[in-house]
Amino acid sequence: MKVISQIKLPVEKEMDLFEKKFFESMSSKVALLNRITHYIVNRKGKQMRPMFVFLVAKMVSEGSVNERTYRGASVIELIHTATLVHDDVVDDSNRRRGFFSINALWKNKIAVLVGDYLLSKGLLLSIDNNDFDLLKIISVAVKEMSEGELLQIEKARRLDITEAVYYDIIRQKTATLIAACCSLGAASVKPESNEIAKMRRFGELIGMAFQIKDDLFDYGTQKIGKPTGIDIKEQKMTLPLIYVLNNVSEKERNWVINSVKNHNKDRARVREVINFVRDKGGLDYAVSRMKEFQREALLILEDYPNSSYRESLELMVNYVIERKK
């Protein structure tokens, strides 16, 4: 059995019902919108985010979910889908999960409007049901994701990023959404409890490990759906690169910065930088930090009694750092 199917097993029933509710939450009186949202739903990914919501809800409440849990999962997926549609416009990307992106098929203007529509549907789903606590969790996540993206753009121009700033960027850009999923799951079944902050931290740690794993793919050898060296070509400062810049001589540092700034389209030079980072221990350091985040996340789960939900979340934590793409 594939790992994702194994993780999904304890919440399979909830996920099936969620899909129906999610599709309904997207519906509109505008035929064009319905055509586009139908296209989106039929090309869904692994749906890890709603899975987090249901697994956490069931773990902290010893097996129960309610309508708020379904709404929380729908809101997070609506918001996440909106950000992906907008990201493809920002990145001028024509593909998403191997299919044409919305902007490739319907142009940028429509893609931006569809993203806005999904965002507002997510917010209204919470407001219409007085889920203001859930709305606050998701609104904080959207704010942080935007700030993280902008901070990364600002720092990439100067290549002066420290390890602390890097963690800030990935916490906001990537980890905050997974943190929101986990805290939403807890808040849906145990409002105003300590579990919410605890599960937020759990999700944040997984998100940090997830992003570092993504960084490592840039230096990999296997085909993973993302070309090797793409981060260097796009002048993105990843953890292996930051570590090396902070631990080599000034001459070597200047060579790396010059390579990333001025020769990032030169394949041979990018390959040299990749080998240099690998030889100087950048990858080993990033792996050790990723495993620290993993250990801390697993430690939080030890506070909960053994159950199929906890086991699935443990599997999820391990999958994040062992995945091949």
Side-chain angles (χ1 to χ4, degrees):
M1 187 187 283
K2 280 188 171 174
V3 181
I4 296 295
S5 308
Q6 216 176 325
I7 291 166
K8 191 179 172 180
L9 217 52
V11 290
E12 207 157 25
K13 193 167 97 268
E14 286 80 6
M15 287 296 290
D16 288 344
L17 184 53
F18 158 75
E19 282 198 27
K20 293 188 187 78
K21 287 177 183 280
F22 178 57
F23 189 58
E24 283 164 18
S25 70
M26 279 181 158
S27 69
S28 154
K29 292 190 175 80
V30 179
L32 174 62
L33 249 175
N34 284 334
R35 200 154 68 243
I36 296 170
T37 54
H38 188 74
Y39 179 82
I40 291 169
V41 168
N42 285 340
R43 281 148 193 83
K44 61 183 183 294
K46 298 185 188 82
Q47 291 190 307
M48 308 271 277
R49 285 152 198 87
M51 248 186 271
F52 271 122
V53 175
F54 290 115
L55 286 169
V56 166
K58 293 190 103 172
M59 181 183 74
V60 303
S61 68
E62 291 172 16
S64 64
V65 296
N66 54 35
E67 278 306 312
R68 268 165 57 86
T69 316
Y70 285 100
R71 287 198 295 271
S74 291
V75 168
I76 206 91
E77 199 66 350
L78 281 164
I79 304 285
H80 174 58
T81 308
T83 61
L84 294 183
V85 172
H86 281 165
D87 278 355
D88 287 339
V89 175
V90 170
D91 298 338
D92 203 15
S93 173
N94 290 325
R95 312 286 288 185
R96 167 70 61 184
R97 298 186 188 116
F99 296 98
F100 284 115
S101 59
I102 304 301
N103 49 303
L105 292 172
W106 285 281
K107 303 295 175 241
N108 284 350
K109 185 176 180 179
I110 288 175
V112 170
L113 292 169
V114 167
D116 291 347
Y117 172 77
L118 295 173
L119 189 65
S120 62
K121 284 293 265 190
L123 301 178
L124 282 168
L125 186 58
S126 296
I127 292 165
D128 290 346
N129 292 284
N130 295 324
D131 296 327
F132 297 112
D133 55 336
L134 306 187
L135 181 59
K136 186 170 183 184
I137 290 170
I138 197 67
S139 299
V140 167
V142 173
K143 175 187 86 85
E144 289 197 335
M145 283 158 68
S146 311
E147 284 177 344
E149 287 284 0
L150 288 164
L151 179 59
Q152 184 175 49
I153 291 166
E154 179 194 325
K155 292 294 178 184
R157 285 181 181 152
R158 295 203 299 269
L159 300 186
D160 64 347
I161 193 169
T162 62
E163 199 171 323
V165 170
Y166 165 82
Y167 292 132
D168 258 356
I169 290 170
I170 68 166
R171 185 185 56 74
Q172 292 180 304
K173 212 182 82 141
T174 305
T176 194
L177 194 65
I178 299 173
C181 295
C182 296
S183 51
L184 272 175
S188 72
V189 288
K190 287 197 167 181
E192 294 177 36
S193 68
N194 295 334
E195 312 294 342
I196 300 167
K198 202 176 187 176
M199 285 296 105
R200 177 177 174 77
R201 179 64 183 152
F202 169 72
E204 202 170 80
L205 290 162
I206 295 177
M208 303 287 269
F210 182 92
Q211 186 55 57
I212 296 172
K213 178 69 174 181
D214 246 27
D215 287 359
L216 288 163
F217 284 145
D218 207 44
Y219 298 86
T221 47
Q222 72 264 57
K223 292 256 185 293
I224 44 101
K226 166 182 165 180
T228 304
I230 194 81
D231 289 335
I232 293 169
K233 290 187 185 95
E234 292 176 1
Q235 299 186 348
K236 279 185 186 159
M237 297 295 281
T238 57
L239 187 56
L241 190 59
I242 292 160
Y243 171 79
V244 166
L245 285 174
N246 293 329
N247 288 280
V248 293
S249 69
E250 197 175 341
K251 186 183 171 190
E252 289 171 320
R253 181 185 160 85
N254 290 338
W255 174 80
V256 173
I257 288 175
N258 180 37
S259 302
V260 175
K261 265 192 169 170
N262 304 314
H263 303 280
N264 57 343
K265 301 287 186 279
D266 178 341
R267 277 188 184 177
R269 188 73 167 257
V270 168
R271 172 55 53 198
E272 274 181 64
V273 173
I274 288 171
N275 291 335
F276 182 78
V277 169
R278 193 181 277 137
D279 294 344
K280 293 292 179 181
L283 269 62
D284 294 338
Y285 179 74
V287 167
S288 71
R289 291 297 286 129
M290 176 178 74
K291 288 186 171 171
E292 277 174 44
F293 287 122
Q294 177 204 25
R295 272 195 297 275
E296 209 183 318
L298 290 171
L299 213 56
I300 291 172
L301 292 179
E302 284 180 16
D303 291 351
Y304 294 90
N306 220 335
S307 67
S308 57
Y309 319 116
R310 182 184 133 176
E311 279 169 26
S312 276
L313 286 167
E314 284 167 352
L315 261 179
M316 187 86 97
V317 175
N318 295 327
Y319 167 76
V320 156
I321 72 163
E322 287 159 12
R323 65 200 166 96
K324 297 285 183 274
K325 60 181 180 178

